[in-house]
Amino acid sequence: MRPVQFIYHTGIPRPGFRNVRLSGSWDGQGRPSQEWAVTPMDQFTDETGCPAFRATVEFPDDQAGQGYSWGVLVDGPAGHDVWAIPTEAKDAASTARGRDFVLADATPAQHYWLSTARRLGANKRHTEQGRPRLEFGVWAPNAQAVSVVFGDPVSGYIADDGTGVDEDIGRIPMSRDDEGVWTTDPSDQRLADYEGLRNRPYMFEVVKDNGRVAYRTDLYSRTQIGRGAVDPADPAAGRPFSGRYQDLDGTVGCSVVIDPDRSTRHFSEPEWPPREWVPDDEFWREEHDPGRPVPTRVEDLVIYEMHLAGLGAGDVDSEGRPVPGDIEDAVALLDHLAELGINAVELLPVSEFEGTASWGYGTSHYYAVECSAGGREQLKHFVRACHQRGIAVILDMVFNHYHHHAERAQWAYDSDEHSRNIYYWYEGRESDYADPTGGYIDNMSTAWAPRFWEEHVRQYLISSAVAHMVQFHVDGFRMDQTTSIHAYSVLHADGRPVGAANAFGAKFLRELTRTLRLIRPEVFLLAEDHSGWDAVTHDPDAGGLGFDAVWYADFYHHLAGDTGHAGAANLLTQAAIADGRPLAMDYFAGALQASGDAKVVYHESHDEAGNSRYSGGDSGRTISIAVGDAPLVGETRRYAEARARFAAGMSILSAGTPMFFMGEESGASEDYRYDDFVEHRENILAAARGEGRNLCAFYRDLIHLRRERPAARTHELRVVHVHNGNRVLAFLRPHEDGDLLVVANLKDTPYEAGYRIQGLPDGTWREVLNSDSAEYNGWDQGNRGGDLPGTGGELNVVLPRAGFVVLERRDRPQGQGSQETDERRPAMAAG
């Protein structure tokens, strides 16, 4: 008999798996079978210190050369008998998720890693003596040799010629396994004292396949030491490197040995490394307030999109230069958000990126939090502070490309040959192209596509999301430009579509969503996806990609301000012309009707806050585009705020999950562009207490209305009236606990005598919100919170100018349910 051991590594301290079973394509005697055998697995703690499971199966000698498949079943957070192998076969046409091997004379142990975050990088390894040691691991399959070198903690930098290497410790050699993973020797006494090496800077010295020596950061690094913007190797830096890590760009600096099981006791410490640490269990002990629970359903979210660097308006350094905002500024904003009723914050990317004043979409190190923004320890404090206020935290992750200047990160990690550039997808050989870069994949993002067919690359990316979910307790992720991953791939040389790249991109996304939901089923998964492919939000086992919702860009284009977007209604920019022309309310009505189909809707996002002016569009801050960028004074500001209230109401009362960009609630008016946002930051809290206080009061009441009324949180929405010439739109939000009716008017004059809406359920309707209320500095034209009789399917409603009213029906006639609105057709009129 030939024994084969199977080991399932979770790589997670507390995965919550029970009743773990090996399942394989053999029978009870180890012979091939269509009916897969099931064998209990024993739990143990592997080298990562995390739960792992193993079982051994005996196979007959006469089956040598036979191929088998296997996998693992678990009971856990995702349910009973869950298939715990998220990875699909390395075949563009197959979605099978079994692991394959061929029985040999001495078949090696079969391993599967759910998360590799504690397998690779700099990790603590427990010993029988009780004192932990340090181990390094790095994937470099093309390298001739790899060593670990330590750097100077003052500068945090090792130059390309080796200057900065700590010669007292010297080079610590690593050995290679069959997968191309290099690890340090457990017996090397230089790594025996983990505590003495914790928080030390290091790099990998890689001898590439051509013999050239290169210094590479650890792509599993939990911290990159730099906090500034200086790249010492770049002449364009304009000044020599000062020799202090505070000035160094973290993308090119040393990686740092970090204990993932500890947190800093205090939010902010002036020195690195911080002096006071506590175990994670103690840090997270008071994470939640039972009176303010964190939401767990995507339809309950009201999302505030936040850019950390865009906070801290007015902050400058000693030389008077603007200083980007950070996590400390974000924490100072949380009480304001809680008062508004915000229950989810979505952060623009916080993983290590180039420089400091950036939107963050050029990620270099996915496991490290940008130090200039506060770093990993402050992010934990931020998440805990959010959770204590009942606010979920969603991180923006960028997996469609890497940082486009990734020389010390992903680029040419262990080979200078393009076809052996292990983190990038490359088709063919260099000799196939006049320009050797022709084999890379373009995908309509700012850098070439990752090598999604390579399992090590997929696990590297996916495990970073797992690490953020497990270590930082984040509640969800927004995945940047997923369309680039599964739909936009073309060959750089000539633009030919590369179907395999799209197919493996879809495989990657399915593996991502399956992995995260296996560990935490309630995780929020949002996609910026412009493909219009319904399957993006369908179950991966039914051919989908597994996301909860997609960003609904068309909703913004119809509602707000990008006049460069062909075929869009652009209601606000058209209303700003103020000539009474008919508006395409029917176009927007269609977007409203579709908003309940797994959508994140928004009247403003970071992309639309002014950035599209670079490409011929006319987006901008809502309050500005609402009056054609006219000065916000006097009656002009009054109209601007009224139309801004209209836009917010249409988004937050839609059937989608509402989101808006920071500062909208206090009337931020300056264009928010990626390259000069630091000079155009606005003080949100000061505006909320000053000129933007009326708008803030409106947002508070509107958000609380949505959160308190079940009808406002369902995916049900019926457009019951639309008239382009009258600029009127009405839609119903039905629910058994009370229907809501929203009637909006985008004319510059009110319907003081009322406006007749037909096709409604009968009953008494009470006005529960008027966007034109005097409390919001409106003209106070509406129904005064009164009751309106609705009979024969008709209702006469006083409508304010450039605003809307919300009516609630509570006295539904006996035997009449909300479903009866299905039988009524909306009154649609274009004229």
Side-chain angles (χ1 to χ4, degrees):
M1 298 296 284
R2 301 176 183 232
V4 178
Q5 188 178 50
F6 300 86
I7 303 177
Y8 183 88
H9 304 268
T10 65
I12 302 165
R14 297 182 183 91
F17 295 161
R18 308 175 307 279
N19 189 24
V20 178
R21 290 143 289 154
L22 171 70
S23 181
S25 62
W26 53 82
D27 61 18
Q29 287 71 48
R31 297 183 180 279
S33 173
Q34 295 295 320
E35 297 292 328
W36 284 30
V38 177
T39 306
M41 302 185 81
D42 296 324
Q43 181 173 337
F44 70 103
T45 300
D46 68 8
E47 62 268 31
T48 69
C50 299
F53 304 88
R54 61 190 167 198
T56 299
V57 176
E58 300 274 352
F59 294 90
D61 290 334
D62 62 6
Q63 295 302 309
Q66 174 67 46
Y68 292 93
S69 297
W70 66 279
V72 172
L73 291 163
V74 304
D75 297 342
H80 296 290
D81 295 326
V82 177
W83 190 254
I85 306 290
T87 303
E88 294 183 3
K90 190 177 178 180
D91 178 348
S94 173
T95 58
R97 289 187 283 144
R99 310 298 289 174
D100 299 326
F101 72 98
V102 175
L103 189 67
D105 290 339
T107 306
Q110 301 297 298
H111 296 266
Y112 180 79
W113 291 84
L114 180 62
S115 171
T116 53
R118 294 183 183 234
R119 180 192 184 194
L120 300 178
N123 287 293
K124 177 171 51 179
R125 297 289 184 253
H126 295 280
T127 64
E128 294 181 358
Q129 293 74 28
R131 193 175 76 166
R133 63 178 175 84
L134 178 60
E135 179 180 281
F136 291 91
V138 60
W139 179 60
N142 298 313
Q144 294 183 16
V146 182
S147 301
V148 176
V149 292
F150 287 92
D152 179 1
V154 175
S155 70
Y157 187 72
I158 296 174
D160 289 339
D161 62 1
T163 302
V165 169
D166 187 337
E167 298 294 352
D168 291 336
I169 297 178
R171 288 156 175 79
I172 301 174
M174 306 176 77
S175 57
R176 184 189 191 280
D177 68 9
D178 292 340
E179 294 181 61
V181 172
W182 299 75
T183 53
T184 48
D185 187 339
S187 65
D188 196 313
Q189 290 302 302
R190 288 172 292 182
L191 302 178
D193 182 12
Y194 177 82
E195 287 300 319
L197 294 171
R198 194 163 59 88
N199 302 319
R200 287 291 303 270
Y202 67 94
M203 293 189 79
F204 294 119
E205 184 181 81
V206 179
V207 181
K208 295 188 178 186
D209 52 1
N210 60 4
R212 189 170 76 86
V213 175
Y215 290 91
R216 292 290 179 256
T217 55
D218 178 4
L219 297 184
Y220 280 78
S221 165
R222 297 184 176 98
T223 289
Q224 290 298 112
I225 197 169
R227 296 188 177 185
V230 175
D231 178 355
D234 183 3
R239 54 193 174 97
F241 180 51
S242 68
R244 299 171 63 249
Y245 75 85
Q246 289 88 343
D247 301 322
L248 182 66
D249 186 339
T251 64
V252 299
C254 287
S255 305
V256 181
V257 178
I258 294 292
D259 186 345
D261 300 319
R262 303 191 201 187
S263 301
T264 54
R265 181 181 300 277
H266 305 294
F267 175 75
S268 179
E269 291 198 29
E271 299 177 2
W272 176 262
R275 296 179 180 179
E276 292 192 58
W277 299 82
V278 296
D280 269 359
D281 286 347
E282 179 180 337
F283 178 83
W284 295 109
R285 191 169 295 154
E286 298 180 356
E287 177 183 3
H288 295 287
D289 178 351
R292 295 194 282 185
V294 176
T296 58
R297 303 191 318 159
V298 70
E299 56 264 42
D300 292 334
L301 301 181
V302 179
I303 303 173
Y304 191 86
E305 193 187 22
M306 181 187 292
H307 180 205
L308 294 175
L311 301 174
D315 290 350
V316 296
D317 63 16
S318 59
E319 298 179 21
R321 294 171 299 197
V323 176
D326 57 22
I327 294 172
E328 188 170 4
D329 296 311
V331 171
L333 200 59
L334 290 183
D335 286 337
H336 163 70
L337 300 186
E339 182 181 357
L340 285 177
I342 295 296
N343 62 5
V345 169
E346 181 179 303
L347 296 178
L348 266 64
V350 297
S351 296
E352 185 69 41
F353 52 77
E354 181 184 21
T356 58
S358 168
W359 278 12
Y361 287 93
T363 300
S364 64
H365 296 79
Y366 290 91
Y367 297 77
V369 177
E370 174 64 37
C371 282
S372 67
R376 64 178 281 116
E377 299 308 320
Q378 283 201 356
L379 180 61
K380 287 192 215 175
H381 282 270
F382 174 77
V383 173
R384 186 177 66 174
C386 284
H387 286 176
Q388 289 167 344
R389 292 165 174 80
I391 299 173
V393 178
I394 299 169
L395 295 187
D396 197 338
M397 302 294 281
V398 187
F399 291 152
N400 55 76
H401 69 278
Y402 311 115
H403 172 35
H404 51 284
H405 297 302
E407 169 60 27
R408 291 193 143 206
Q410 293 84 7
W411 182 256
Y413 201 86
D414 61 2
S415 175
D416 292 331
E417 291 185 33
H418 293 292
S419 61
R420 291 160 69 87
N421 200 349
I422 58 175
Y423 284 96
Y424 295 80
W425 190 300
Y426 191 89
E427 289 282 296
R429 309 290 299 179
E430 289 93 322
S431 58
D432 297 336
Y433 308 98
D435 178 348
T437 66
Y440 289 107
I441 299 296
D442 292 325
N443 61 10
M444 293 181 66
S445 64
T446 57
W448 289 318
R451 199 180 198 180
F452 289 122
W453 62 262
E454 172 61 63
E455 185 167 329
H456 273 283
V457 173
R458 296 196 309 273
Q459 285 194 321
Y460 157 63
L461 296 171
I462 292 168
S463 296
S464 71
V466 172
H468 280 90
M469 189 170 65
V470 172
Q471 294 176 28
F472 295 91
H473 292 204
V474 301
D475 304 281
F477 301 95
R478 178 262 194 188
M479 299 299 171
D480 182 63
Q481 193 53 287
T482 52
T483 336
S484 292
I485 296 174
H486 71 81
Y488 289 164
S489 297
V490 298
L491 193 66
H492 181 64
D494 54 20
R496 279 183 289 129
V498 181
N502 288 328
F504 274 92
K507 282 177 172 288
F508 163 75
L509 293 172
R510 288 193 292 269
E511 185 176 347
L512 168 69
T513 58
R514 283 184 177 124
T515 302
L516 296 176
R517 293 204 192 281
L518 181 64
I519 301 163
R520 187 176 177 183
E522 69 274 18
V523 63
F524 300 120
L525 297 177
L526 313 176
E528 183 197 15
D529 199 279
H530 306 301
S531 66
W533 186 27
D534 290 344
V536 174
T537 56
H538 292 174
D539 187 331
D541 292 341
L545 299 183
F547 289 91
D548 291 307
V550 298
W551 272 32
Y552 191 16
D554 281 350
F555 186 93
Y556 169 84
H557 293 306
H558 285 306
L559 171 64
D562 191 352
T563 53
H565 193 80
N570 304 301
L571 293 186
L572 285 197
T573 49
Q574 293 298 302
I577 299 173
D579 61 357
R581 67 179 63 188
L583 300 180
M585 307 294 285
D586 55 342
Y587 280 25
F588 177 63
L592 262 176
Q593 193 81 56
S595 64
D597 184 19
K599 299 290 196 298
V600 174
V601 301
Y602 47 93
H603 56 283
E604 193 68 275
S605 77
H606 70 280
D607 276 327
E608 278 79 28
N611 207 49
S612 80
R613 295 190 199 267
Y614 288 143
S615 56
D618 193 27
S619 72
R621 286 296 204 163
T622 306
I623 199 170
S624 294
I625 65 170
V627 288
D629 295 318
L632 295 172
V633 295
E635 284 295 286
T636 300
R637 182 178 184 93
R638 205 175 187 192
Y639 271 99
E641 289 195 1
R643 293 172 186 154
R645 293 193 296 268
F646 170 90
M650 297 303 99
S651 173
I652 293 174
L653 295 174
S654 75
T657 297
M659 181 193 76
F660 59 92
F661 190 51
M662 63 184 194
E664 283 290 296
E665 78 281 10
S666 57
S669 60
E670 295 203 37
D671 282 352
Y672 202 90
R673 297 176 291 259
Y674 73 89
D675 64 347
D676 65 355
F677 68 86
V678 173
E679 285 80 25
H680 295 274
R681 292 175 294 173
E682 299 178 61
N683 191 318
I684 294 171
L685 289 178
R689 293 188 291 264
E691 197 169 25
R693 65 187 181 280
N694 299 315
L695 201 52
C696 262
F698 165 76
Y699 267 85
R700 181 194 62 228
D701 291 349
L702 178 65
I703 292 170
H704 282 277
L705 175 74
R706 179 182 174 94
R707 292 186 57 185
E708 291 168 2
R709 299 310 204 278
R713 301 194 307 277
T714 72
H715 294 306
E716 295 292 322
L717 186 148
R718 313 275 197 276
V719 175
V720 295
H721 180 87
V722 59
H723 196 292
N724 292 350
N726 293 342
R727 297 188 176 187
V728 173
L729 168 70
F731 58 92
L732 190 69
R733 304 298 313 280
H735 192 273
E736 59 184 9
D737 291 337
D739 300 337
L740 290 180
L741 175 66
V742 181
V743 190
N745 168 35
L746 206 44
K747 288 183 68 173
D748 295 333
T749 55
Y751 288 94
E752 293 182 279
Y755 190 97
R756 180 176 297 177
I757 304 295
Q758 297 178 320
L760 295 173
D762 290 345
T764 300
W765 297 83
R766 173 171 293 176
E767 185 181 77
V768 293
L769 183 75
N770 179 3
S771 72
D772 195 45
S773 169
E775 295 180 22
Y776 316 137
N777 195 34
W779 290 270
D780 212 23
Q781 295 160 323
N783 303 278
R784 306 290 178 181
D787 291 342
L788 304 178
T791 58
E794 292 188 358
L795 189 68
N796 194 56
V797 188
V798 174
L799 298 181
R801 72 190 77 183
F804 65 93
V805 296
V806 183
L807 308 171
E808 183 175 35
R809 184 179 69 136
R810 290 192 177 274
D811 62 341
R812 181 182 299 116
Q814 188 173 4
Q816 181 176 312
S818 295
Q819 67 272 15
E820 56 86 25
T821 57
D822 289 337
E823 302 171 1
R824 299 184 181 274
R825 302 181 64 84
M828 308 287 282

